[in-house]
Amino acid sequence: MIACLKPYICPVVLCCFVTLGITPAIAEVGNGAVGEAVVDPDAAARGYRFLTEKPVLTSDFTQEILDQVWKSWPEPLRSLAENATVEERRAMAFNRYGLTTRPDDDSGKPLQYVVDEAGKWTMNCFSCHGGSVYGKPTPGAPNNRFALQTMTEEIRATKFKLGKPFSRMDMGALFIPLGTTHGTTNAVVFGMGLMSSRDADLNLIDTPPTSFTHHDMDAPPWWTFYKRPYIYIDGFAQKGHRGLMQFTLIPENEREFYLENEDGFRDVYAYLSSLRAPKYEGPVEAKLAEQGRVVFGDHCASCHGTYASKVGGDDWTYPNRRIAIDDIGTDPVRLTALPVEGRQRYAESWFAHGGEEDEQETVTDPDGYVAPPLDGIWASAPYFHNGSVPTLWHVLHPAERPEVWIRTAEEMDEERVGLQVKSVAKVPVTEPDVAIRRSHFDTRRFGKSNSGHDYPDQLSEAEKKAVLEYLKTL
């Protein structure tokens, strides 16, 4: 039933899907198991420290640059910053770019970047997978406010004014879009580009320039990682700790880097496996939610699984099913953008071969998207693999999905369960602040369609209301 809500994985993105009342073309991707693997808490703790303290990429900018970036902001924001304190300016920068502080950490450091003693800022996986749940910083939550393209442009402008050298990110953003809408990422193309410059053993090779289909994706939550045997929206790659390292393939990281840091990513794998969805703390109509559970079981569970009857319970199931694109009908760009050759390159690489006893399966020609678990689905808006649908109510009401929308508040829309948004006629192209323009989601643009997943039309309005209430409890 709620397909295309969101999938998993550190650097790229996956997806979700549902089947309401009809039997779609479905492929078994792997065996979903009941029960949970035991995670070493010490390894999980090391994994978190590795993500937040170990720079595995080159630095993007320094604290000095960030403290001066306000001078590249448009008016009236620039004047507000000019009259603010340093601390206030930093808070303004965090808010503008979708950064958060780290929970239970008074250092002031961002969750999304490693900041070393010299003040160098280096992006980590939390940049996309460490956002906030309606204002509460939450590691593992999709960062639906991350403004990487806007931040990179304004950081680059600040460096130019100060005569500072540009980073790889500064230059790359001139040619490769980092995300045309705040909260989305062009991560799939990053992965393809990085893989194309390596052989199967991860040695650097000379390759001719390659053209890619640029498209935005919505980062999935990490708290469903423990359930998923395969990763990515199309479920083409069996998960393993090595696969988490793919997005560190910058030229500076030679083959030895991967051998030396493999244990670190084993710990990261343990950390991801330890995460669980946050619990909905608002009011729930128990009787209505129970009615929704029955409807969900009849129409949705065959793709999205069943859920534990109590917190921490192991009586859940996850079928891990791929649904043909012709059945789900959601935006097909992600499926067609990653060619068979790209998946095959991954299949032959070190990432997909964890040793003689850990050979991994790779599906090189999937025909659709994989329905994800819906744990914590209330906390991971917006929905569909491209982030085109702002609330679960809109998922359940296909004809009512807004064509162009913008978020209006940080707080949750309690009634519709998701983002508070307003529908507008078009993106204001004459708006001088690019951050405001990029805060609009235009579903008419390439790769951003909100169509498909029409299964909820098979439900009555009463059944939809009950299912919406039930989804709060997952």
Side-chain angles (χ1 to χ4, degrees), residues 18-297:
V18 234
T19 68
L20 279 175
I22 63 176
T23 304
I26 293 175
E28 291 288 351
V29 183
N31 294 321
V34 175
E36 304 173 12
V38 176
V39 176
D40 179 355
D42 292 335
R46 292 195 303 269
Y48 177 80
R49 289 196 299 272
F50 187 92
L51 288 171
T52 54
E53 298 177 12
K54 171 73 174 180
V56 295
L57 302 171
T58 53
S59 174
D60 295 319
F61 51 87
T62 64
Q63 186 68 56
E64 175 193 8
I65 300 298
L66 187 72
D67 285 343
Q68 296 292 319
V69 74
W70 64 270
K71 296 180 180 179
S72 298
W73 291 348
E75 292 290 1
L77 193 61
R78 184 168 65 247
S79 292
L80 291 174
E82 185 176 12
N83 295 313
T85 65
V86 171
E87 291 74 19
E88 290 170 338
R89 289 174 188 158
R90 290 178 180 176
M92 292 170 71
F94 272 44
N95 181 66
R96 182 169 177 81
Y97 301 134
L99 306 179
T100 70
T101 54
R102 302 172 185 178
D104 304 317
D105 184 335
D106 60 3
S107 68
K109 291 182 178 181
L111 176 64
Q112 298 79 12
Y113 281 79
V114 176
V115 182
D116 67 15
E117 294 182 356
K120 293 181 179 180
W121 283 49
T122 305
M123 182 184 294
N124 64 32
C125 292
F126 285 123
S127 60
C128 292
H129 298 274
S132 67
V133 174
Y134 306 111
K136 181 179 180 180
T138 307
N143 192 352
N144 57 30
R145 295 187 62 251
F146 192 37
L148 180 57
Q149 182 74 36
T150 300
M151 180 171 65
T152 301
E153 291 171 354
E154 294 176 349
I155 289 289
R156 185 175 61 228
T158 304
K159 290 179 179 179
F160 181 80
K161 293 174 183 177
L162 298 177
K164 301 293 185 179
F166 292 162
S167 69
R168 181 181 301 281
M169 184 73 76
D170 299 326
M171 297 303 296
L174 293 170
F175 306 98
I176 300 177
L178 306 178
T180 59
T181 302
H182 289 175
T184 64
T185 173
N186 193 19
V188 175
V189 169
F190 305 160
M192 288 192 289
L194 294 169
M195 282 294 295
S196 67
S197 64
R198 303 281 180 146
D199 65 16
D201 291 324
L202 306 189
N203 298 301
L204 282 165
I205 57 175
D206 291 326
T207 54
T210 305
S211 61
F212 299 111
T213 302
H214 296 291
H215 59 291
D216 290 345
M217 296 286 291
D218 184 32
W222 271 348
W223 54 65
T224 60
F225 181 90
Y226 77 103
K227 284 188 175 181
R228 301 182 62 96
Y230 290 71
I231 59 176
Y232 300 123
I233 183 175
D234 48 19
F236 86 90
Q238 188 175 351
K239 75 178 181 183
H241 69 277
R242 287 185 175 183
L244 302 180
M245 307 173 78
Q246 182 183 350
F247 285 73
T248 64
L249 281 171
I250 58 174
E252 290 83 354
N253 290 338
E254 299 181 354
R255 172 174 167 74
E256 289 70 25
F257 167 88
Y258 297 91
L259 302 179
E260 293 170 358
N261 286 282
E262 188 170 9
D263 283 344
F265 277 89
R266 286 190 176 96
D267 291 338
V268 170
Y269 186 98
Y271 171 69
L272 298 187
S273 300
S274 73
L275 293 176
R276 298 296 182 269
K279 185 180 184 298
Y280 181 74
E281 296 180 352
V284 175
E285 295 183 42
K287 184 177 180 179
L288 184 62
E290 174 59 21
Q291 294 170 0
R293 184 190 66 79
V294 175
V295 176
F296 185 93

